[in-house]
Amino acid sequence: MKFEIDRDYLIECFKKIVSVPSPVGYYRELNPVLCDIASELDLEVTFDNRNTAYITLDGEDNSKTVLVGAHADTVGLMVRSIDSDGKLLIRKLGGGSLQSMEGANVTVITRGGRKYSGMCICMSHSVHVFADHETRDRNEDTMRILLDEDVHSKEDVKALGIQNGDYVDVAHGCEYLENSYLKSRYIDDKGGIACVFAALKYLRENNQKPKFRTIFAFPYYEEINIGGTYVPEGVSEYMAIDIGLVGPEFDGNEKSVSICAKDAKSPYDYELTNRLIEYAKKAECDYAVDVYFRYGTDANAAMLAGNNLRNGCFGMAVHCSHGVERTHIEGLANTTNLLLAYIKDI
């Protein structure tokens, strides 16, 4: 049975979440927004000391507790140092593609809360100026942030309140097309969060409960492989809602939901993965099962940290992961349908 997902809500929820910066470890702005969205559904949000947000629902049977994780952090940048000419050197937060960031608008967020616009450039930034513009590597040593301010020295930049360790958010560039393709940075994993809230909206509007006590978690450290290392007491299953991948070795596509059988570190739980396949069939999902080798999730981080649980993973497949990504509303809807089938244990 397919569930009637509110697709307009799903997209609007994504647009709201993706507009709020949350590079790895930066939770200050997104957590209040998650609280607002939850409040609209009459749901309460709690937090742990790592600033992970949680929504907990009682189930028809509270003898078992499962956790659904959709990570709230994105790839991003941090100010590494300030050059003598007023440009900013950077370090990556997570495995983002610097090539995809070249020319992108960015926002520098100071520790004092001030924000400054700029753009991400290569030191060999112009074909008219640099002979190696086409061939120079784009890496942490060759990329800079060019501030949209009248600055010409390190002292000029410091006078703005910018310092080493400030966050740099790369503009998302979200665009939802009439043919229902979604293009944006950070579909990984704000698309997953939107699917979670669309599923919660379905449960609330239909006065339904999950089969078991279910904790929905939104951690901020997935992109550096530690988001799922802490798991609340009593959780027996950790289900990551994360992106699937599109590529020559994969069966997934942007309109399907991808079930991950194995990632770079280890296979996901055999029995739980089998259940996901059966749930996908019962919920009439267009689905694929794939094996990824440059990929990891909070569910596997939870397992590798030694937690006593089963782990699984599925989500909407995207083109161009960790850059400007693309998926389709059908992929998001199939992901939400599989999520509902899982938590309802149909």
Side-chain angles (χ1 to χ4, degrees), residues 293-311:
F293 45 92
R294 297 185 184 93
Y295 178 97
T297 71
D298 280 335
N300 228 356
M303 175 70 77
L304 294 169
N307 292 287
N308 182 25
L309 47 73
R310 292 176 173 174
N311 60 348

mmCIF file of all heavy atoms in Angstrom, residues 293-311:
data_model
loop_
_atom_site.group_PDB
_atom_site.id
_atom_site.type_symbol
_atom_site.label_atom_id
_atom_site.label_comp_id
_atom_site.label_asym_id
_atom_site.label_seq_id
_atom_site.Cartn_x
_atom_site.Cartn_y
_atom_site.Cartn_z
ATOM 1 N N PHE A 293 31.119 2.247 -1.972
ATOM 2 C CA PHE A 293 32.481 2.044 -1.468
ATOM 3 C C PHE A 293 33.212 3.342 -1.147
ATOM 4 O O PHE A 293 34.346 3.307 -0.712
ATOM 5 C CB PHE A 293 33.304 1.204 -2.457
ATOM 6 C CG PHE A 293 33.160 1.605 -3.903
ATOM 7 C CD1 PHE A 293 34.029 2.523 -4.465
ATOM 8 C CD2 PHE A 293 32.156 1.053 -4.685
ATOM 9 C CE1 PHE A 293 33.904 2.885 -5.793
ATOM 10 C CE2 PHE A 293 32.030 1.406 -6.021
ATOM 11 C CZ PHE A 293 32.899 2.339 -6.576
ATOM 12 N N ARG A 294 32.600 4.493 -1.341
ATOM 13 C CA ARG A 294 33.152 5.761 -0.857
ATOM 14 C C ARG A 294 32.037 6.477 -0.098
ATOM 15 O O ARG A 294 31.633 7.577 -0.452
ATOM 16 C CB ARG A 294 33.638 6.627 -2.023
ATOM 17 C CG ARG A 294 34.785 6.018 -2.817
ATOM 18 C CD ARG A 294 35.307 6.972 -3.884
ATOM 19 N NE ARG A 294 36.336 6.338 -4.686
ATOM 20 C CZ ARG A 294 36.110 5.700 -5.829
ATOM 21 N NH1 ARG A 294 34.860 5.601 -6.301
ATOM 22 N NH2 ARG A 294 37.096 5.154 -6.503
ATOM 23 N N TYR A 295 31.579 5.872 0.986
ATOM 24 C CA TYR A 295 30.311 6.286 1.588
ATOM 25 C C TYR A 295 30.212 5.708 2.986
ATOM 26 O O TYR A 295 30.721 4.619 3.258
ATOM 27 C CB TYR A 295 29.181 5.744 0.703
ATOM 28 C CG TYR A 295 27.758 6.019 1.148
ATOM 29 C CD1 TYR A 295 27.046 7.077 0.622
ATOM 30 C CD2 TYR A 295 27.108 5.184 2.062
ATOM 31 C CE1 TYR A 295 25.722 7.315 0.988
ATOM 32 C CE2 TYR A 295 25.796 5.412 2.436
ATOM 33 C CZ TYR A 295 25.106 6.487 1.890
ATOM 34 O OH TYR A 295 23.816 6.718 2.251
ATOM 35 N N GLY A 296 29.576 6.448 3.886
ATOM 36 C CA GLY A 296 29.295 5.945 5.215
ATOM 37 C C GLY A 296 28.125 6.699 5.814
ATOM 38 O O GLY A 296 27.772 7.786 5.345
ATOM 39 N N THR A 297 27.510 6.168 6.861
ATOM 40 C CA THR A 297 26.361 6.805 7.489
ATOM 41 C C THR A 297 26.478 6.740 9.008
ATOM 42 O O THR A 297 27.319 6.030 9.563
ATOM 43 C CB THR A 297 25.040 6.115 7.091
ATOM 44 O OG1 THR A 297 24.978 4.828 7.727
ATOM 45 C CG2 THR A 297 24.918 5.967 5.587
ATOM 46 N N ASP A 298 25.582 7.458 9.674
ATOM 47 C CA ASP A 298 25.521 7.399 11.131
ATOM 48 C C ASP A 298 25.146 6.008 11.628
ATOM 49 O O ASP A 298 25.545 5.610 12.729
ATOM 50 C CB ASP A 298 24.502 8.413 11.650
ATOM 51 C CG ASP A 298 25.062 9.822 11.695
ATOM 52 O OD1 ASP A 298 26.290 9.975 11.785
ATOM 53 O OD2 ASP A 298 24.273 10.783 11.648
ATOM 54 N N ALA A 299 24.371 5.267 10.830
ATOM 55 C CA ALA A 299 23.976 3.928 11.266
ATOM 56 C C ALA A 299 25.188 3.010 11.373
ATOM 57 O O ALA A 299 25.279 2.189 12.290
ATOM 58 C CB ALA A 299 22.943 3.339 10.306
ATOM 59 N N ASN A 300 26.118 3.137 10.450
ATOM 60 C CA ASN A 300 27.321 2.314 10.547
ATOM 61 C C ASN A 300 28.283 2.863 11.595
ATOM 62 O O ASN A 300 28.995 2.100 12.249
ATOM 63 C CB ASN A 300 28.010 2.184 9.196
ATOM 64 C CG ASN A 300 28.368 0.727 8.893
ATOM 65 O OD1 ASN A 300 28.162 -0.161 9.720
ATOM 66 N ND2 ASN A 300 28.882 0.479 7.715
ATOM 67 N N ALA A 301 28.315 4.204 11.770
ATOM 68 C CA ALA A 301 29.114 4.777 12.859
ATOM 69 C C ALA A 301 28.632 4.240 14.206
ATOM 70 O O ALA A 301 29.438 3.940 15.099
ATOM 71 C CB ALA A 301 29.031 6.296 12.836
ATOM 72 N N ALA A 302 27.310 4.097 14.356
ATOM 73 C CA ALA A 302 26.747 3.551 15.594
ATOM 74 C C ALA A 302 27.206 2.120 15.812
ATOM 75 O O ALA A 302 27.556 1.729 16.939
ATOM 76 C CB ALA A 302 25.224 3.619 15.545
ATOM 77 N N MET A 303 27.201 1.324 14.756
ATOM 78 C CA MET A 303 27.651 -0.069 14.861
ATOM 79 C C MET A 303 29.142 -0.139 15.175
ATOM 80 O O MET A 303 29.580 -0.860 16.079
ATOM 81 C CB MET A 303 27.352 -0.795 13.546
ATOM 82 C CG MET A 303 27.883 -2.214 13.477
ATOM 83 S SD MET A 303 26.997 -3.348 14.558
ATOM 84 C CE MET A 303 25.499 -3.600 13.612
ATOM 85 N N LEU A 304 29.942 0.635 14.441
ATOM 86 C CA LEU A 304 31.392 0.580 14.615
ATOM 87 C C LEU A 304 31.831 1.113 15.971
ATOM 88 O O LEU A 304 32.908 0.776 16.456
ATOM 89 C CB LEU A 304 32.072 1.363 13.494
ATOM 90 C CG LEU A 304 31.885 0.767 12.090
ATOM 91 C CD1 LEU A 304 32.361 1.739 11.024
ATOM 92 C CD2 LEU A 304 32.616 -0.556 11.961
ATOM 93 N N ALA A 305 30.987 1.957 16.595
ATOM 94 C CA ALA A 305 31.303 2.475 17.933
ATOM 95 C C ALA A 305 31.048 1.443 19.022
ATOM 96 O O ALA A 305 31.335 1.694 20.194
ATOM 97 C CB ALA A 305 30.495 3.734 18.207
ATOM 98 N N GLY A 306 30.484 0.295 18.645
ATOM 99 C CA GLY A 306 30.296 -0.782 19.608
ATOM 100 C C GLY A 306 28.924 -0.859 20.221
ATOM 101 O O GLY A 306 28.713 -1.622 21.176
ATOM 102 N N ASN A 307 27.960 -0.104 19.694
ATOM 103 C CA ASN A 307 26.604 -0.163 20.232
ATOM 104 C C ASN A 307 25.940 -1.495 19.883
ATOM 105 O O ASN A 307 26.150 -2.058 18.801
ATOM 106 C CB ASN A 307 25.770 0.991 19.665
ATOM 107 C CG ASN A 307 26.241 2.335 20.170
ATOM 108 O OD1 ASN A 307 26.033 2.694 21.323
ATOM 109 N ND2 ASN A 307 26.894 3.093 19.291
ATOM 110 N N ASN A 308 25.123 -1.969 20.801
ATOM 111 C CA ASN A 308 24.463 -3.265 20.644
ATOM 112 C C ASN A 308 23.147 -3.070 19.882
ATOM 113 O O ASN A 308 22.072 -2.962 20.476
ATOM 114 C CB ASN A 308 24.213 -3.883 22.026
ATOM 115 C CG ASN A 308 23.568 -5.255 21.929
ATOM 116 O OD1 ASN A 308 23.709 -5.956 20.921
ATOM 117 N ND2 ASN A 308 22.853 -5.649 22.973
ATOM 118 N N LEU A 309 23.244 -3.009 18.552
ATOM 119 C CA LEU A 309 22.058 -2.736 17.743
ATOM 120 C C LEU A 309 22.241 -3.270 16.327
ATOM 121 O O LEU A 309 23.333 -3.648 15.923
ATOM 122 C CB LEU A 309 21.768 -1.225 17.709
ATOM 123 C CG LEU A 309 22.926 -0.246 17.434
ATOM 124 C CD1 LEU A 309 23.391 -0.267 15.986
ATOM 125 C CD2 LEU A 309 22.504 1.181 17.814
ATOM 126 N N ARG A 310 21.123 -3.289 15.605
ATOM 127 C CA ARG A 310 21.144 -3.576 14.178
ATOM 128 C C ARG A 310 21.134 -2.243 13.430
ATOM 129 O O ARG A 310 20.598 -1.256 13.923
ATOM 130 C CB ARG A 310 19.921 -4.408 13.771
ATOM 131 C CG ARG A 310 19.947 -5.815 14.346
ATOM 132 C CD ARG A 310 18.671 -6.562 14.004
ATOM 133 N NE ARG A 310 18.755 -7.959 14.409
ATOM 134 C CZ ARG A 310 17.763 -8.829 14.342
ATOM 135 N NH1 ARG A 310 16.582 -8.424 13.868
ATOM 136 N NH2 ARG A 310 17.922 -10.074 14.721
ATOM 137 N N ASN A 311 21.687 -2.245 12.216
ATOM 138 C CA ASN A 311 21.723 -0.992 11.462
ATOM 139 C C ASN A 311 21.229 -1.198 10.039
ATOM 140 O O ASN A 311 21.348 -2.278 9.457
ATOM 141 C CB ASN A 311 23.132 -0.398 11.459
ATOM 142 C CG ASN A 311 24.171 -1.311 10.825
ATOM 143 O OD1 ASN A 311 23.921 -2.479 10.562
ATOM 144 N ND2 ASN A 311 25.348 -0.771 10.582
#
